[in-house]
Amino acid sequence: METPLTLAMYMLYGLCGVAALGLMTLFVLKLRHIAADKREQACLEKYQDYFFYIQAYGEEEGRLKPPAGDLTLGEKRIIQKKLLSLLERFTGVHRQRLLDLCEDMGLIEMDLKRLNAWWKWTRVDAAYNLGMMHAKEAVPGIIRLMKKGDSDASMFILARSLAKCARQEDDLREMVKLLVVHRQNCHPLIVDILGDSQLDTGPLFLSLVREEDGDLIKVGLIGLTSHVQPGMDPVLHELVDAADKEVRIKVAKLLCRDIRYLTERNVRHFLSHPDWEIRSVMAKAIGELGLSVYIPLLKRAVKDPHWWVSRNSTNSLAQLQVEGFRALCAILAEERDSRVREMANQVIQKELEKGKFPINDREQQMTYQQKLHYYQEWSRKTLKTVHALEK
Amino acid sequence: MRDFLLYYGTFAIYYVFVINSLYLFIMLFSFKSIMGILKNSVYSRYQALSGSPHVPPISILVPAYNEELTIIENVRSLLSLNYPEYEVIVINDGSGDETLNVLIEEFKLQLSHHAAVQPVLNTEKVRGVYYNPAFPNLYLIDKGNGGKADSLNAGINLSHYPLIASIDADSLLEKDALIRIARVYMENPEETVAIGGDIRIANGCKIEDGIVSEIRLPNKFLPMLQSIEYLKAFLGGRIGWAAINGLIIVSGAFGVFRKDYVIKVGGYRGGYPGEDMNIIIKLHKYMLENKLPYRVAFCPDAVCWTQAPDTWKILGSQRRRWGRGNLKNMIEYGKYMVLRPKYKIFGLVTLPYNILFETLNPYFRITGLLALIGYVLMDMTNAYVLLIYGALNILYGFLLGIGALLLEEIAFRRYPRFQDIVKMLFYTILMFFGYRQIGVIWRFLGHIEYLRNNNSWGTMTRTSWKAEEKKTMSSLEVRG
């Protein structure tokens, strides 16, 4: 029994060593963190007046003065952290003056050097700081890091920094291309990142829609939802029957926001489209845009086999004032399919239940009363017919 | 006989040693990922993102069974999250207390007989849906008792958005928790099927208006031990498992899922506890069988605070339930998927680890300990054998505890005081003197309950967050 016990003893010694090392690291780290917090607190107190000055004179002419005296590297970093947090809060002239101050204090230069550090996370730190300081000089360096970097989440930190630093559309385009290369379908996040740029990204989105690559097209289409561009209609019309389903749906969503596009021919086309998503988008848009003229088409769409299309159609009818409500009641009376009747009935009852809650808007109140009155009349007539048929 | 006892005991000790070594190996993956997690946590602009129109909308599902004491605070906390578009769906699972009435009263909800419910998953009969336009993103489903899984399925049927978040009614989300998880989702929406959040113990913390306003370690013995356990499991374990896409569980207390895939796998499985592990196993199975690229991610900076049981009775009930759930899942799926190359990391690493070192753990540990004790009793001069092996076990466990605390200190630093670290280290050792052994026995008893077809949820009493707050306040006052 010597061997297992001896082995156990060796293991015990080994574990003791590793545990002692871990324990030491933990304590050192904790103490360093506590000390760093204290240093930061002391530094912020020391420069409290200076931060008051920055905030009070932020909108006056001339450049803001850097803090008096020589700053240690630690102090520089703490002041930079504070300035970056102020940059997030301020806009306009005040922000520009803070950006100038960062440059005057040599903070941009300091982080440009750190952009070449050997440790990845120092480079990411520097890129983040440079992004916050909108340093245009950092663009080539950040693009280089993105090209060399891993395809992990740090790519998005770099991309956001690049979006802030970029002064030319081509830099943003390159950034988008570098992000989509990993094919992770993160298109909404890319558009959100581009939203941090000072440039007008509308033309970029339009040009992306014209690309061959499906991912770039998707980024462009998502971007165009909040950046309407002149001349985008012809491109969208070309893509409406694209091979990629996601592209078709995104195009339909964009087109269905534009009342000019919703001619009877196009509405009919979309409501009979093979993709249920597109039928659903169209049905929803009619209600949102208040297009009462398409009530007959919606009445037909309520019978759609897909639940969401049917649901959006009934909801849209309910949105189309009393006229749409009448159509719902008509469905209830005429329709034989119990599923469709139930769907219409649910929406009618939901509309009537609105009376349980106070309605403050006068117009809404009137519409509700009209709907209620119509329903009462309609149900009375229907009951009479039922009784007559029973007799 | 003596030799047999010694050999068996030695085998059990090395078994424990191997478990800990594998755990350490997984923890190394956590260390590898931790800097990325830290930087993303610090540099992702959550404030801006929480107002972005590009963030996916989420339906938050809150199953509630006899939660009258905590539900109002929790719903209020959920209604004030920093998130652009979401809805909160509370599902009253046939509570015997006033859960339904307190919610109706507090939010002036009205019964709607005609709410649009898409019946994609079978559930117990829904008695009604309550709603008030003054709280446009709050819905209350009242249904017959069918268990947590059934409630989640009912919530899915009513939900309007493509992502669902399951949250326990006794838990509090940090304001940024949802947006942090959404960021992880947005980085790879195509492949992400589920994301787990970090669960932390709220006992001892100061809670104001449903928000944890001051983080403190628990004052009581049992919650403190659980605090360490959770830290080890979530930071040491789940970050690492997620890094190799081998996560077997996303805690039922807080997780986000792609609704379409949850529906494709048939929704949550009712009838047994362990539905949180079950849904993840089913997602792995579905994606791997259909050769779809996917990931089950973990977001450690998305924090959900939960009430830990503070009595042995309730804790025992919870652990027996976990034991039952684990065994059921391994019998139902594990045995068919384990060691089959088709199931990749999940079938070749996660499941063998889980079966050998989680499900069968109580048997080896209990019998091994008894064997060593028997051996020593036969010849007291060999007592040092027990001591050496015991020390080995404790020291390795302690080392894993240090690892988890290091991860916490590198990336999160939620417990800022030096004495917090010392206290946590002390409890990391303390848990090996009785608590761990009782835990093993509870798990074993859970297996017996499973074999006896006991599928009940067990005892679970709640404490009002306000009561918890008062207790904490008075203890803080005593501390001076």
Side-chain angles (χ1 to χ4, degrees):
Chain A
M1 286 329 305
E2 271 305 299
T3 318
L5 260 189
T6 319
L7 186 65
M9 285 303 290
Y10 283 131
M11 284 175 176
L12 210 56
Y13 292 140
L15 283 176
C16 274
V18 180
L21 202 69
L23 215 53
M24 213 164 66
T25 315
L26 179 65
F27 286 145
V28 168
L29 208 61
K30 186 81 204 170
L31 290 171
R32 271 184 61 180
H33 282 152
I34 291 172
D37 286 345
K38 278 185 185 161
R39 267 201 310 275
E40 184 174 336
Q41 202 52 44
C43 179
L44 290 175
E45 272 170 29
K46 183 178 167 187
Y47 290 98
Q48 201 176 25
D49 292 342
Y50 179 70
F51 294 125
F52 281 139
Y53 154 75
I54 285 175
Q55 291 175 65
Y57 292 89
E59 283 173 20
E60 300 214 345
E61 281 188 20
R63 291 171 93 93
L64 289 166
K65 286 179 190 146
D70 286 336
L71 297 174
T72 63
L73 189 64
E75 284 177 333
K76 234 178 185 178
R77 290 219 189 289
I78 294 164
I79 291 173
Q80 181 184 35
K81 203 170 142 192
K82 177 76 182 173
L83 289 178
L84 297 187
S85 77
L86 290 175
L87 273 168
E88 283 230 79
R89 280 168 34 202
F90 295 139
T91 52
V93 186
H94 208 149
R95 179 186 234 195
Q96 187 51 51
R97 282 164 58 82
L98 284 178
L99 291 173
D100 293 340
L101 177 65
C102 290
E103 198 176 349
D104 294 347
M105 282 179 69
L107 299 177
I108 291 178
E109 205 181 329
M110 183 172 80
D111 276 314
L112 279 172
K113 279 182 197 152
R114 291 176 72 222
L115 216 47
N116 299 314
W118 65 271
W119 202 41
K120 175 186 170 181
W121 296 110
T122 307
R123 298 195 297 269
V124 173
D125 266 338
Y128 172 80
N129 291 345
L130 289 163
M132 291 298 287
M133 294 185 289
H134 294 248
K136 59 177 183 296
E137 307 88 328
V139 173
I142 299 177
I143 289 180
R144 183 172 38 82
L145 287 184
M146 282 187 78
K147 281 180 180 166
K148 278 203 314 189
D150 309 321
S151 64
D152 59 13
S154 66
M155 275 292 264
F156 297 104
I157 300 174
L158 296 175
R160 214 175 266 283
S161 300
L162 182 59
K164 287 178 186 165
C165 296
R167 301 288 193 276
Q168 286 172 357
E169 196 183 294
D170 282 345
D171 294 330
L172 293 181
R173 186 191 311 280
E174 187 158 8
M175 180 262 275
V176 175
K177 285 183 177 171
L178 286 168
L179 284 177
V180 298
V181 88
H182 302 291
R183 307 273 174 219
Q184 288 178 331
N185 251 2
C186 53
H187 314 119
L189 186 58
I190 296 175
V191 174
D192 186 76
I193 288 169
L194 286 169
D196 279 0
S197 171
Q198 330 168 31
L199 298 171
D200 174 15
T201 46
L204 171 69
F205 290 131
L206 189 58
S207 68
L208 289 176
V209 174
R210 291 196 179 106
E211 293 272 353
E212 291 286 311
D213 184 291
D215 283 306
L216 295 178
I217 294 175
K218 285 173 204 166
V219 172
L221 289 171
I222 296 171
L224 288 177
T225 55
S226 47
H227 292 79
V228 181
Q229 288 297 300
M232 69 184 223
D233 289 3
V235 195
L236 295 183
H237 294 171
E238 275 172 33
L239 288 171
V240 82
D241 292 316
D244 187 332
K245 187 179 176 182
E246 215 184 312
V247 171
R248 290 198 301 271
I249 295 168
K250 286 187 166 51
V251 170
K253 278 185 183 167
L254 275 171
L255 290 174
C256 286
R257 298 185 327 168
D258 186 355
I259 205 159
R260 292 169 307 156
Y261 179 78
L262 300 181
T263 59
E264 186 168 345
R265 187 172 156 271
N266 289 339
V267 172
R268 274 181 194 278
H269 174 65
F270 274 176
L271 281 179
S272 56
H273 202 281
D275 300 331
W276 71 264
E277 293 91 343
I278 293 182
R279 300 199 301 276
S280 170
V281 166
M282 186 69 255
K284 197 175 173 189
I286 294 173
E288 282 172 357
L289 297 171
L291 302 173
S292 307
V293 66
Y294 297 129
I295 286 176
L297 294 179
L298 273 184
K299 267 180 80 177
R300 214 174 303 157
V302 173
K303 295 175 198 168
D304 195 286
H306 199 281
W307 191 88
W308 276 109
V309 182
S310 185
R311 183 81 217 153
N312 282 351
S313 303
T314 44
N315 278 340
S316 279
L317 283 172
Q319 280 174 288
L320 297 173
Q321 307 297 322
V322 186
E323 230 177 310
F325 189 77
R326 276 188 194 143
L328 284 169
C329 293
I331 291 170
L332 206 55
E334 295 159 9
E335 188 53 48
R336 290 184 165 201
D337 185 341
S338 60
R339 182 189 70 93
V340 177
R341 270 208 317 273
E342 178 53 26
M343 189 77 89
N345 189 40
Q346 272 182 1
V347 179
I348 290 172
Q349 298 305 326
K350 208 174 145 193
E351 282 297 296
L352 298 175
E353 277 170 5
K354 284 182 180 168
K356 288 180 184 173
F357 305 101
I359 304 172
N360 297 326
D361 184 273
R362 183 167 286 193
E363 206 173 318
Q364 279 181 7
Q365 209 171 24
M366 258 173 61
T367 312
Y368 174 76
Q369 291 301 337
Q370 283 174 336
K371 284 181 181 175
L372 185 65
H373 178 70
Y374 177 80
Y375 184 76
Q376 284 166 345
E377 284 293 306
W378 175 83
S379 52
R380 204 174 300 142
K381 273 186 211 163
T382 315
L383 277 176
K384 269 185 192 168
T385 317
V386 171
H387 287 317
L389 284 171
E390 279 175 354
K391 279 174 191 170
Chain B
M1 181 66 183
R2 276 186 59 226
D3 280 351
F4 170 74
L5 289 177
L6 181 62
Y7 277 121
Y8 188 74
T10 312
F11 160 74
I13 288 297
Y14 284 113
Y15 165 85
V16 173
F17 190 83
V18 172
I19 298 181
N20 286 338
S21 301
L22 279 173
Y23 205 92
L24 185 68
F25 182 68
I26 292 296
M27 194 179 261
L28 293 179
F29 283 99
S30 300
F31 274 100
K32 187 172 173 276
S33 313
I34 201 69
M35 279 313 285
I37 290 167
L38 166 68
K39 296 296 171 186
N40 274 305
S41 174
V42 176
Y43 295 151
S44 294
R45 296 174 61 240
Y46 293 108
Q47 213 176 343
L49 205 58
S50 63
S52 167
H54 305 293
V55 174
I58 296 186
S59 301
I60 301 177
L61 313 180
V62 191
Y65 178 72
N66 291 347
E67 304 280 0
E68 62 178 11
L69 291 176
T70 56
I71 195 75
I72 299 297
E73 289 275 301
N74 293 15
V75 172
R76 284 215 169 277
S77 134
L78 290 174
L79 288 175
S80 63
L81 293 177
N82 292 336
Y83 202 82
E85 193 180 357
Y86 69 102
E87 61 184 2
V88 178
I89 301 175
V90 183
I91 308 106
N92 176 44
D93 189 31
S95 297
D97 68 355
E98 291 295 305
T99 304
L100 182 72
N101 291 332
V102 294
L103 280 165
I104 291 173
E105 181 64 28
E106 179 72 18
F107 298 101
K108 306 282 177 277
L109 301 168
Q110 291 277 354
L111 180 62
S112 169
H113 293 285
H114 302 280
V117 177
Q118 190 185 13
V120 286
L121 298 169
N122 291 329
T123 67
E124 287 292 318
K125 189 175 166 27
V126 172
R127 292 192 279 251
V129 177
Y130 293 79
Y131 185 71
N132 178 359
F135 297 94
N137 57 342
L138 173 65
Y139 296 88
L140 168 63
I141 299 175
D142 182 31
K143 62 178 271 294
N145 182 253
K148 188 177 171 187
D150 192 67
S151 303
L152 289 167
N153 288 340
I156 291 171
N157 286 344
L158 181 72
S159 65
H160 303 95
Y161 298 136
L163 293 180
I164 52 164
S166 71
I167 288 166
D168 276 355
D170 63 332
S171 306
L172 297 173
L173 277 192
E174 284 194 352
K175 272 190 175 299
D176 286 343
L178 213 52
I179 196 74
R180 284 172 188 273
I181 279 208
R183 196 229 353 123
V184 174
Y185 174 77
M186 287 173 81
E187 283 171 4
N188 190 352
E190 183 88 340
E191 295 178 5
T192 310
V193 290
I195 311 170
D198 185 17
I199 313 297
R200 295 196 178 228
I201 303 297
N203 307 45
C205 294
K206 189 176 165 188
I207 293 148
E208 288 173 318
D209 301 324
I211 294 163
V212 175
S213 58
E214 197 177 329
I215 297 169
R216 294 277 167 153
L217 285 169
N219 305 311
K220 288 190 175 176
F221 179 69
L222 282 179
M224 186 60 214
L225 289 170
Q226 290 169 79
S227 205
I228 304 295
E229 262 185 327
Y230 277 52
L231 210 64
K232 279 170 86 171
F234 282 86
L235 299 189
R238 295 202 188 171
I239 298 176
W241 282 113
I244 56 169
N245 203 20
L247 210 53
I248 196 170
I249 186 169
V250 159
S251 170
F254 179 36
V256 170
F257 302 83
R258 277 262 301 260
K259 188 168 79 175
D260 52 351
Y261 283 117
V262 171
I263 292 171
K264 275 177 188 164
V265 300
Y268 287 87
R269 185 224 36 219
Y272 280 91
E275 74 297 323
D276 45 4
M277 180 186 278
N278 181 267
I279 192 77
I280 297 298
I281 295 177
K282 286 200 290 189
L283 285 170
H284 277 291
K285 188 170 178 283
Y286 179 86
M287 303 307 282
L288 289 163
E289 283 176 357
N290 289 286
K291 296 189 170 57
L292 297 167
Y294 78 103
R295 67 168 181 160
V296 176
F298 178 63
C299 180
D301 53 332
V303 174
C304 174
W305 294 91
T306 194
Q307 268 188 25
D310 56 3
T311 66
W312 290 98
K313 190 183 166 198
I314 300 169
L315 184 64
S317 166
Q318 184 196 53
R319 298 303 158 100
R320 290 198 304 275
R321 195 172 68 236
W322 289 0
R324 267 185 287 148
N326 184 289
L327 184 61
K328 168 73 181 168
N329 283 320
M330 289 309 110
I331 288 172
E332 200 176 351
Y333 289 99
K335 66 180 182 187
Y336 299 112
M337 295 170 73
V338 70
L339 296 177
R340 291 184 63 186
K342 177 168 124 176
Y343 296 111
K344 295 184 178 172
I345 289 279
F346 190 72
L348 298 174
V349 182
T350 306
L351 281 173
Y353 177 88
N354 196 73
I355 292 173
L356 276 173
F357 303 131
E358 295 283 343
T359 316
L360 300 177
N361 183 323
Y363 304 99
F364 289 122
R365 281 198 188 237
I366 293 172
T367 51
L369 184 65
L370 289 176
L372 277 181
I373 291 172
Y375 172 75
V376 171
L377 284 178
M378 283 182 171
D379 181 0
M380 291 303 283
T381 55
N382 285 323
Y384 67 95
V385 175
L386 195 61
L387 278 177
I388 289 172
Y389 285 139
L392 199 64
N393 185 18
I394 293 168
L395 203 62
Y396 216 154
F398 182 54
L399 180 65
L400 295 174
I402 294 171
L405 290 178
L406 261 172
L407 288 166
E408 164 72 11
E409 189 55 35
I410 292 169
F412 308 106
R413 296 173 60 200
R414 283 182 186 271
Y415 304 101
R417 300 177 310 169
F418 190 80
Q419 59 259 47
D420 290 338
I421 288 278
V422 176
K423 186 177 173 183
M424 284 194 278
L425 282 170
F426 174 66
Y427 274 83
T428 306
I429 299 173
L430 202 62
M431 67 164 51
F432 290 93
F433 296 93
Y435 179 75
R436 289 290 291 261
Q437 292 73 14
I438 292 170
V440 168
I441 291 168
W442 279 331
R443 195 172 278 237
F444 177 65
L445 292 176
H447 291 185
I448 291 173
E449 284 178 359
Y450 172 79
L451 295 172
R452 292 170 63 187
N453 279 328
N454 178 353
N455 296 328
S456 66
W457 196 256
T459 323
M460 199 68 211
T461 42
R462 300 282 187 233
T463 313
S464 156
W465 288 113
K466 280 176 184 155
E468 186 68 30
E469 189 185 327
K470 270 183 202 162
K471 272 193 276 177
T472 312
M473 284 303 289
S474 50
S475 79
L476 288 176
E477 278 161 18
V478 170
R479 279 185 207 171

